[in-house]
C-alpha cells in the first residue's frame, strides 16, 4: 500500500503545481502534460470562463475532479460564455435579471462549448486528432505540395527550420547533373539519335545552392557537423524535395576551425602574415545531385 500512497501523493503534488502555474503553459503543452500524468483525452473537459471583459491569458483555471468520475476541467477565456462570445447579449441580460435557470443554461452551453473547443484544438494541432481515418502524414504532404518548395524564400525557410543552429544562405546557380544515356552500340546507333560514347553525360542545369555556416566544427551534442547535416538532410529535407524534383548542392562553411601550425614561405613560425585581412574558411561539400521521385 505504501507505493500507492506515495504515487497518489506525487500525483496530487503535480496537480497542485499545474494549477498554480497555468499561465506558464500554452494549450497544447498543458494537454500533453495531462496525458503524461495519466489522463485520457476523454477525461479532459473544456469550458469557457464566464466573463464580460477580455483576460490576459487563454487558460483561466484548471480543476481536477475525482467524483463522480475522474476528470480535469480546463477553463478557457474563449467559447460561448467568454467576452468574445458569438451569443447575442440577450442571454447575458436574462442571466443578470435571473429570468432563466442559470445552472441549467450553463450545463446546456457547456456541452457545445467542449465540442467546439475540442474541435478547435484538433484543427490547430492535428497531431491530437485520434480519428483512425485521419492521416496526418498525408495532410502534411498535401500542405507541402501547395507550396513552391523550389522557391528561394521557401527553401530558405525549410533549411532554417531544420538547421536552427546554423546560418543559411540559399541562391540560384548552375549545378552539374549526371544524366544516364543510351550508350552507342556499333551497327545499331543512328545518327541524330540520343546516342553518346559511354552510358553517362554531364550537363549544366539550373539548381539551388545552399550554404550552411557554422562557427564550430562540432554540434552542441559533440557530433561533427558534416555527419549531423547528412543525417538531417536524409531524414527531413530529401523526402520533401524528392517529390518536387530539384538539383541541389549543399555546402558547409566552418568559420572557426582548429589547425595545426605549419611552416611555409608565407608564414612566420606558423602564424600567417596579415597581408589582406581576409580569413580563409574551410568549405565542405555535403551533397550535390538531382533529387526526384524515381
Amino acid at each position: 500500500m505504501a507505493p500507492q500512497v506515495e504515487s497518489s501523493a506525487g500525483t496530487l503534488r503535480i496537480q497542485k503545481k499545474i494549477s498554480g502555474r497555468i499561465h506558464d503553459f500554452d494549450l497544447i503543452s498543458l494537454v500533453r502534460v495531462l496525458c503524461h500524468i495519466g489522463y485520457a483525452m476523454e477525461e479532459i473537459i473544456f469550458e469557457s470562463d464566464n466573463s464580460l471583459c477580455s483576460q490576459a491569458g487563454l487558460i483561466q483555471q484548471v480543476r481536477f475532479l475525482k467524483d463522480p468520475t475522474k476528470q480535469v476541467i480546463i477553463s478557457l477565456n474563449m467559447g460561448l460564455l467568454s467576452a468574445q462570445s458569438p451569443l447575442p447579449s440577450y442571454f447575458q441580460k436574462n442571466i443578470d435579471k435571473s429570468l432563466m435557470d442559470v445552472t441549467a443554461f450553463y450545463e446546456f452551453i457547456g456541452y457545445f462549448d467542449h465540442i467546439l473547443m475540442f474541435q478547435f484544438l484538433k484543427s490547430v494541432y492535428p497531431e491530437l486528432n485520434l480519428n483512425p481515418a485521419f492521416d496526418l502524414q498525408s495532410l502534411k504532404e498535401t500542405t507541402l505540395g501547395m507550396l513552391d518548395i523550389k522557391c528561394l524564400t521557401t527553401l530558405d525557410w525549410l533549411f532554417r527550420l531544420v538547421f536552427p543552429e546554423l546560418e543559411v544562405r540559399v541562391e540560384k546557380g548552375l549545378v552539374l547533373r549526371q544524366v544516364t544515356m543510351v550508350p552507342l552500340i556499333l551497327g545499331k546507333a543512328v545518327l541524330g539519335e540520343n546516342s553518346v560514347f559511354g552510358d553517362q553525360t554531364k550537363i549544366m542545369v539550373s539548381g539551388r545552392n545552399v550554404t550552411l555556416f557554422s562557427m564550430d566544427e562540432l554540434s552542441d551534442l559533440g557530433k561533427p557537423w558534416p555527419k549531423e547535416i547528412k543525417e538531417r538532410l536524409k531524414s527531413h529535407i530529401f523526402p520533401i524535395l524528392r517529390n518536387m524534383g530539384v538539383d541541389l548542392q549543399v555546402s558547409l562553411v566552418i568559420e572557426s576551425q582548429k589547425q595545426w601550425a605549419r611552416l611555409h614561405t608565407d608564414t612566420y613560425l606558423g602564424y600567417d602574415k596579415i597581408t589582406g585581412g581576409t580569413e580563409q574558411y574551410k568549405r565542405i561539400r555535403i551533397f550535390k545531385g538531382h533529387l526526384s521521385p524515381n
Side-chain angles (χ1 to χ4, degrees), residues 30 61 65 74 88 97 113 126 188 193 197 276 283 290 292:
L30 177 59
Q61 187 182 22
L65 304 179
I74 303 176
K97 295 178 181 179
D113 247 347
K188 293 184 178 181
E193 296 291 331
F197 288 99
R283 178 180 289 267
H290 177 70
S292 64

Side-chain angles (χ1 to χ4, degrees), residues 73 77 144 160 199 235:
I73 300 178
N77 292 311
L144 281 173
R160 290 183 186 276
D199 58 355
S235 59

Side-chain angles (χ1 to χ4, degrees), residues 101-120:
D101 187 342
V102 177
T103 302
F105 177 73
Y106 283 169
E107 290 179 354
F108 175 75
I109 290 297
Y111 171 78
F112 298 99
D113 247 347
H114 170 72
I115 295 177
L116 290 173
M117 284 189 277
F118 187 60
Q119 293 297 327
F120 167 78

Side-chain angles (χ1 to χ4, degrees), residues 8-119:
S8 178
T11 301
L12 290 175
R13 186 166 57 251
I14 294 175
Q15 292 176 354
K16 185 177 180 180
K17 192 172 183 180
I18 292 174
S19 299
R21 300 183 59 182
I22 55 174
H23 297 298
D24 294 340
F25 291 95
D26 57 13
L27 191 54
I28 183 63
S29 300
L30 177 59
V31 172
R32 285 173 174 167
V33 168
L34 293 174
C35 293
H36 178 72
I37 64 176
Y39 284 91
M41 290 300 296
E42 296 77 14
E43 298 171 333
I44 301 176
I45 306 300
F46 297 99
E47 67 176 13
S48 58
D49 183 63
N50 187 18
S51 176
L52 296 178
C53 58
S54 299
Q55 303 297 316
L58 176 61
I59 304 173
Q60 182 66 24
Q61 187 182 22
V62 177
R63 306 196 310 275
F64 296 91
L65 304 179
K66 292 184 178 179
D67 298 320
T69 58
K70 176 186 174 184
Q71 285 183 337
V72 55
I73 300 178
I74 303 176
S75 298
L76 302 177
N77 292 311
M78 62 180 294
L80 298 177
L81 295 178
S82 66
Q84 294 80 22
S85 172
L87 292 178
S89 58
Y90 162 82
F91 292 99
Q92 190 62 46
K93 292 178 181 179
N94 286 345
I95 292 174
D96 294 339
K97 295 178 181 179
S98 301
L99 298 179
M100 65 170 62
D101 187 342
V102 177
T103 302
F105 177 73
Y106 283 169
E107 290 179 354
F108 175 75
I109 290 297
Y111 171 78
F112 298 99
D113 247 347
H114 170 72
I115 295 177
L116 290 173
M117 284 189 277
F118 187 60
Q119 293 297 327

